[in-house]
Amino acid sequence: MTVNLALVTRDHMKKELSIRENLLANRYKIAVMDSNPFIKAIEQKAPNLEMEFISDEREYFSEKNDFDALLISAEAGSAWTLYHPGYSVVIPKPSVHRYALACAVAERDADFLTYLNQWLKVQEINGFEEENYNYWILGKGAEVEKKRWCLGSDVFKLW
């Protein structure tokens, strides 16, 4: 699966942090998980960002947190914002960094690896990944479309 590098921030900072130039020019305190592979590259490009390691995402969402944002994938960040509605996912523009996630399979499980690869290929062909990404991450189709009341169709049954 390919995921997008993003920030999770409080709603009032969403617009400010969505512009890459703001991140490069201003000083922000960013929470980072120990396992993030982009830390060194980010520190080189934006030395003014103060990166602080946390061991668990829950630390970022605690009341005592003094961070401006959490560096995380957009997909994982979207899940966290469901539990914490005052936060939003931001993918700074104009540059989008993507990276791949993988599933480790034991060497002795060659049959399972073959099955897993085939299942993933079938899901990709059927559009399952794109459909779920559009719904759960981008929010497309999540809005309930309510038909507006109309005198012509609801009262006079003209159309």
Side-chain angles (χ1 to χ4, degrees):
M1 179 174 156
T2 305
V3 296
N4 299 291
L5 188 62
L7 297 168
V8 171
T9 188
R10 289 177 185 84
D11 286 340
H12 71 275
M13 293 189 69
K14 181 179 179 178
K15 187 174 181 180
E16 180 181 345
L17 293 177
S18 66
I19 301 167
R20 186 173 180 221
E21 287 76 26
N22 287 344
L23 288 169
L24 297 174
N26 300 322
R27 189 158 192 79
Y28 296 104
K29 187 173 180 183
I30 310 292
V32 181
M33 294 296 294
D34 296 334
S35 60
N36 196 301
F38 292 99
I39 296 167
K40 288 182 184 176
I42 292 170
E43 286 176 335
Q44 288 175 350
K45 289 181 181 179
N48 58 320
L49 294 181
E50 182 184 338
M51 307 287 238
E52 188 173 314
F53 289 101
I54 58 173
S55 59
D56 189 349
E57 287 94 343
R58 286 185 213 105
E59 287 181 48
Y60 174 72
F61 294 102
S62 73
E63 294 292 322
K64 300 173 191 170
N65 124 38
D66 63 339
F67 297 106
D68 295 309
L70 168 67
L71 185 67
I72 193 169
S73 73
E75 293 74 12
S78 294
W80 280 103
T81 61
L82 294 175
Y83 290 110
H84 304 279
Y87 291 83
S88 296
V89 174
V90 174
I91 301 176
K93 302 290 182 199
S95 176
V96 176
H97 298 286
R98 302 183 85 193
Y99 59 101
L101 294 181
C103 179
V105 177
E107 197 173 339
R108 65 182 178 278
D109 287 336
D111 291 339
F112 177 65
L113 178 61
T114 302
Y115 169 79
L116 186 60
N117 285 334
Q118 291 300 317
W119 183 82
L120 289 169
K121 193 65 170 169
V122 167
Q123 299 308 317
E124 182 182 335
I125 291 168
N126 291 335
F128 179 80
E129 180 183 349
E130 183 178 358
E131 179 183 320
N132 279 288
Y133 181 84
N134 288 341
Y135 182 80
W136 291 104
I137 305 304
L138 301 179
K140 293 180 181 175
E143 310 87 19
V144 178
E145 289 189 30
K146 188 175 181 183
K147 185 181 170 236
R148 292 181 59 182
W149 184 84
C150 175
L151 184 65
S153 63
D154 292 334
V155 177
F156 296 117
K157 309 292 184 207
L158 296 174
W159 48 85

